[in-house]
Amino acid sequence: MATGAVVAAGQTLATTFLEDNTQAVAALQPVAAVTKDAPADASASAFDGAIGGNQLLPDPLAVDALDPASQVDVQNLAKAVDIGRELARQAAKIKAALADGASEAALYGDTAFVKPTVGRLTSMFGSRWGRSHEGIDIAGPIGTPIYALTDAVVEESGPATGYGLWVVLRHTDGTQSVYGHVNRTFVREGQKVKAGEEIAEIGNRGYSTGPHLHLEVWSSEGTKINPLTWLRKRGISY
């Protein structure tokens, strides 16, 4: 073996072999250089220049080992990765809400909302023909799909006076949406539905002058809300 330092890490002693002499060296004490002329009883001064643990180079993968500018770069990269993951998660939610065929979806906070059906807005919320019209009417051919506005539980699905057939959903925040004059319903009471799930189809049942969806939104206290205002706040418009 060539003259030099041999360090046995993790052992109690490390030995340096110099021809026929053996010199004891403290364990885990890397030696920069030991000459063959060093006496067997060499003092600590013989190890001048040895590299101690506190002199070892820092871990290049540790953020603390980087200069300040590089640390900022790493932190910005980590933030970019987090933002990318969040955008991907949001995109997945939108994609799921559109999976059944809804034409439009948006996120309000962390909750997905969709356009309930395609069609022409024919009647607004408010006074109509001398009485209050408590929803909006969206005209379309019989059989046009109707989608759940958002995640909800089905409270009612079936016959209803004036509406012919209807579906009533209770959303996770306590508000409710009502879908009236439907031709067929595809959900049952107590069923959980997701935003964009097809729940019914446009019909002409009940007190109706033509095929359309009559859509109402009720607050958690039961107050009738203008669906257009409520939808627009959640990124959906007609």
Side-chain angles (χ1 to χ4, degrees):
M1 180 177 294
T3 302
V6 180
V7 179
Q11 299 180 354
T12 303
L13 293 176
T15 57
T16 302
F17 297 94
L18 304 174
E19 296 182 354
D20 59 345
N21 293 323
T22 299
Q23 177 178 317
V25 181
L28 300 180
Q29 177 68 31
V31 180
V34 178
T35 67
K36 62 181 295 181
D37 299 326
D41 59 346
S43 65
S45 62
F47 302 112
D48 288 347
I51 300 175
N54 61 348
Q55 296 172 288
L56 296 176
L57 293 175
D59 180 357
L61 299 180
V63 174
D64 291 343
L66 302 173
D67 61 80
S70 296
Q71 288 185 38
V72 171
D73 288 342
V74 170
Q75 291 166 356
N76 288 340
L77 179 59
K79 289 178 181 178
V81 170
D82 289 342
I83 291 171
R85 287 174 178 164
E86 177 61 17
L87 290 175
R89 188 186 67 82
Q90 292 177 3
K93 279 199 165 190
I94 294 294
K95 183 178 180 180
L98 296 172
D100 269 9
S103 62
E104 187 178 328
L107 288 182
Y108 180 69
D110 201 41
T111 303
F113 291 84
V114 305
K115 180 173 282 190
T117 193
V118 294
R120 182 168 56 92
L121 187 64
T122 58
S123 190
M124 308 293 281
F125 178 88
S127 179
R128 186 184 71 169
W129 305 333
R131 57 183 300 179
S132 179
H133 184 239
E134 297 177 326
I136 59 174
D137 291 342
I138 304 162
I142 292 176
T144 303
I146 297 171
Y147 306 99
L149 284 174
T150 188
D151 296 353
V153 174
V154 179
E155 289 211 327
E156 295 190 47
S157 178
T161 301
Y163 296 96
L165 288 177
W166 75 353
V167 175
V168 180
L169 304 182
R170 181 173 292 276
H171 312 150
T172 55
D173 65 355
T175 58
Q176 293 171 278
S177 51
V178 176
Y179 311 78
H181 307 300
V182 303
N183 187 52
R184 292 188 297 169
T185 70
F186 305 127
V187 292
R188 64 187 183 279
E189 187 176 330
Q191 179 180 341
K192 291 182 179 181
V193 295
K194 292 291 187 180
E197 185 174 338
E198 186 176 356
I199 58 172
E201 60 187 20
I202 285 180
N204 191 32
R205 297 179 182 272
Y207 303 148
S208 173
T209 58
H212 71 284
L213 166 64
H214 173 80
L215 177 69
E216 296 183 12
V217 176
W218 304 345
S219 73
S220 56
E221 294 80 24
T223 303
K224 309 295 174 66
I225 301 170
N226 186 338
L228 288 181
T229 303
W230 189 86
L231 286 169
R232 285 170 183 160
K233 184 176 181 180
R234 288 154 180 79
I236 305 298
S237 61
Y238 275 97

